[in-house]
Amino acid sequence: MLAQQPSLLLLDEPTSHLDFGNQVRLLTLIRKLAATGLPIVMTSHFPDHAFLISDKVALMRKGEFINIGTPDSVITENNLEMVYNIKVKVVSLNSGIDRKICVPILDGIAN
């Protein structure tokens, strides 16, 4: 898999500019690498990625961490609205998928 046997993998927005299929392929690979015990630190502007593959997340606003914890405790409507200054819904999918997604609300600019 990785030629150099790293002790830590740092990824800065690894899914940028990828279509959905390649995003999922890459996130699946990242999850498999993490399952081997390899520590992975990844940045993303897509909060859904936290629900897909993360055990622990940190949310930043203006260069400072505002919350650190599990995806369910950190990726919340209130926290996302504070960070992005828009209305956001965190929706649970239960139709055979059983995960959460983040939905930005069009014309939902927060005050």
Side-chain angles (χ1 to χ4, degrees):
M1 287 225 171
L2 297 176
Q4 305 256 337
Q5 303 294 324
S7 58
L8 171 70
L9 191 58
L10 298 174
L11 302 171
D12 184 17
E13 297 191 49
T15 60
S16 288
H17 307 292
L18 296 179
D19 60 43
F20 276 153
N22 285 314
Q23 283 185 34
V24 169
R25 287 177 192 91
L26 183 57
L27 292 171
T28 299
L29 175 60
I30 291 168
R31 186 173 53 195
K32 286 179 182 177
L33 290 170
T36 70
L38 177 64
I40 298 174
V41 177
M42 180 179 105
T43 63
S44 178
H45 282 98
F46 298 99
D48 287 352
H49 290 173
F51 291 126
L52 284 171
I53 66 168
S54 298
D55 296 323
K56 188 173 185 180
V57 299
L59 196 58
M60 294 184 78
R61 179 175 185 239
K62 296 181 180 179
E64 294 185 18
F65 291 109
I66 63 164
N67 205 330
I68 299 172
T70 65
D72 285 335
S73 68
V74 174
I75 307 300
T76 65
E77 292 173 359
N78 287 338
N79 284 344
L80 293 176
E81 288 175 8
M82 182 184 343
V83 168
Y84 294 112
N85 200 34
I86 62 168
K87 296 290 183 185
V88 178
K89 285 291 183 189
V90 175
V91 179
S92 294
L93 300 176
N94 297 315
S95 59
I97 298 172
D98 197 32
R99 75 174 179 94
K100 292 181 180 178
I101 62 169
C102 303
V103 181
I105 306 302
L106 191 60
D107 297 328
I109 304 298
N111 291 329

